[in-house]
Amino acid sequence: MADSHEAQDAQGRDTQAQVSEAQIAVHWREEEYVYPPQKFIDQANAADPAIFDRFHEDKFPDCFTEYADLLSWDQPWHTTLDTSNPPFWKWFAGGQLNASYNCVDRHAQASPDKTAIVFVPELESDDHVHISYSELLRQVNQFAAVLRDSLGLKAGDRVTLHMPMVPELPVTMLACARLGVIHSQVFGGFSGNACGTRIADSGSRVLITMDGYYRGGKLIDHKVKADEAVEEAARQGQEVDRVLVWRRHPRQYSSQIPMADGRDVFVDELLSEHQGQVVEPVSMPAEAPLFLMYTSGTTGRPKGCQHSTGGYLAYVAGTSKYYQDIHPDDVYWCMADIGWITGHSYIVYGPLALGTTTVIYEGVPNYPDAGRPWRIAEKLGVSIFHTSPTAIRQLRKLGPDEPRKYDYHFKHMTTVGEPIEPEVWRWYHSEVGKGDAVIVDTWWQTETGGFLGTGLPALNPMKPGSCGPAALGIYAVIYDENGDEVPDGRAGNICIRNPWPGIFQTIWGQPGRFVDTYYRKYNSDPASTDWRDWPYFAGDGAVRAADGYFRILGRVDDVINVAGHRLGTKEIESAALTVGEVAEAAAVPVIDDIRGRAVEVYVSLKPGIQPSPEMENKVTKAIETEIGKIARPRNVWIVPDMPKTRSGKIMRRVIASISNFADVGDVTTLANPEIVDDIRHHVPRQLTELEYEEIKKFGGE
Ligand code: 6R9
């Protein structure tokens, strides 16, 4: 944990050999409150403080029926929360519903012409595409017919999606949901190999992809990754029978890679066989899995977080209503990628469950320039804007005055994925929000389905740098390593004492790992069926202030959050080790002025191999191939040896200190202390001004 001096954690691991993000976190000073404008309060969905009473702990778990009541159920539940098999909680047990019906049909009936999705292609010369709820219903039905009748898919089957930011992605997800088929969308930027590993883990026989998409002004060949993915899955024992390929441009093929005979098929050809077909939504138990979302683990293969249909959909609908303040007439734009949990919950499922208009932008925020997001906002009349600190930092750096040039008006802005520096927060507020929009900082995780730490915009004043108090019905606490609550102002491990409807159900195929990773640490009685005995361990370091607001310091495990994307140090190290000449590899987090954190990789080479820039490139390339470009290290340092404990463990803490120009601390326990100076020699000082300031703040040189 963040300020622990213990040498071992609860599992007896040698924590001194590791370094976590929380340990290199920058501690900002407590900021003053910023209050929402009256005109925001006057229209807010949650403006009456009575809401806090409705979600008070003595009303748990029934308080969450308020969220479930936002949905249309085929059959009501008989038990709000079934705790008989902890920590495998069952929310709304006995209830039945269909997610696609809730996100599409009921709105198509009530307001068929209302725009459900606005697609903004990356090329500015291309027209925006407005898809109404009735049109969305038609497309979802037709594609569901393809999945059911041409592919024979049925409830409970898994299908892997590796799709870019196009409306065909939600259409695919919702068509799966209509049948009870479990979708597993892999972020489009991940490599073919990373996709293949996830296909194998989920046991998918079908991969759905697109031939190409636009990014940075170029049409990227995406189908190439499908072939790599299928090959990798086969290597891991999973055969893929069918690859469905959507076309980015009608009647064209945007890839150089030939379609494999008998395996690959264009979606439009299948759709033409199912014109106008209607597929009844399959009524699913609330507990049926809706989707898998893979995230990085500390060790071993990635974790397929399994989310439920009823609890998940209720939680994202409720939080979209109260925290995103979505009203029927809002135009809502979340600039995240649907390939991450943020996109699933707060581009697709939450906003569509509420029947709003959600914007999908294909490309990067700064294409062709840093004014693009504000032009989109102006043109579409976006009222709610949602993005990450990394995107804000980037837009601020590239176009600090751009927002002023455009006539848009946000009432509400969200930030998600990483801590936001107060200085960056203030630019977001005054420039992007024109001093008039509220900012809702939202702390949560792939595992948690929806927001955990965040403020109700009309009721909780904002505090730059803090995510805010715990969300409604979330009882958060900060424990030390022994499970004792730490006093306010001290860092520790943030935990949630209770279950909530959005919590994931298990790690796909690894229930033991699910219990071990998230519950073992603070569970005192494995036999207890009382939820109070099962606090959820989030894996983040945090500090609570006296007013109950939390500041998140970062991961306490071996996960590095680069630009809001979670990367496991072990995954990066194994990728580096696929290079034959590499003997050992260590990945560490470093402070980065745009991405929050970046990765540096240290490698030592096998005897007789000479260090060279080619070698460094080879390591970088291997990481891109195994994981994807997002994992590309900022630097690869070739060093003569790694600092090691006497038991032979690499001391990442020492390496991270060198990378962050901080004091390396006590190195007397090293088997080879002399190597420290040697390594320092290999790491030249190239700091930006902001990094230098940050480093000074956390006690570096
Ligand atoms: C939603 C999402 C989860 C990790 C999480 C934490 C960090 C997310 C944050 C934040 C500070 C915020 N994180 N939101 N840190 N302030 N508002 O990002 O899910 O990709 O699983 O990442 O991201 O460290 O544990 P995921």
Side-chain angles (χ1 to χ4, degrees), residues 21 295 340-342 389 415-420 441-448 453 467 538-540 551-555 561 564-566:
E21 279 194 357
T295 191
W340 305 107
I341 192 68
T342 300
T415 153
V416 62
E418 9 149 15
I420 181 164
D441 189 339
T442 59
W443 166 72
W444 57 295
Q445 310 175 304
T446 304
E447 294 87 338
T448 74
C467 68
D540 275 322
R551 270 182 299 156
I552 306 298
L553 302 173
R555 306 289 310 183
N561 189 339
H565 304 321
R566 279 162 67 172

Side-chain angles (χ1 to χ4, degrees), residues 323-324 386 414-417 440-444 451-454 467:
Y323 290 94
Q324 301 297 93
H386 187 159
T414 307
T415 153
V416 62
V440 177
D441 189 339
T442 59
W443 166 72
W444 57 295
F451 307 148
L452 291 182
T454 181
C467 68

Side-chain angles (χ1 to χ4, degrees), residues 51-52 54-61 63-64 67 91 315 319 323 346 443-445 448-454 467-477 494-503 531 536 538 544 548 550:
I51 198 167
F52 294 119
R54 297 207 300 273
F55 282 85
H56 190 269
E57 196 168 334
D58 60 16
K59 313 272 188 343
F60 181 84
C63 54
F64 281 116
Y67 286 0
W91 279 92
Y315 197 67
T319 49
Y323 290 94
Y346 298 110
W443 166 72
W444 57 295
Q445 310 175 304
T448 74
F451 307 148
L452 291 182
T454 181
C467 68
L472 293 169
I474 301 292
Y475 318 121
V477 62
I494 187 163
C495 296
I496 311 300
R497 289 194 290 107
N498 61 302
W500 65 97
I503 182 67
W531 58 262
Y536 168 79
R544 185 172 59 195
F550 292 94

Side-chain angles (χ1 to χ4, degrees), residues 303-340:
K303 300 180 282 196
C305 296
Q306 177 187 317
H307 281 283
S308 73
T309 305
Y312 169 82
L313 200 61
Y315 197 67
V316 297
T319 49
S320 292
K321 178 171 177 189
Y322 291 140
Y323 290 94
Q324 301 297 93
D325 199 49
I326 290 177
H327 291 61
D329 53 353
D330 278 313
V331 176
Y332 170 88
W333 180 20
C334 172
M335 212 166 60
D337 194 292
I338 297 175
W340 305 107

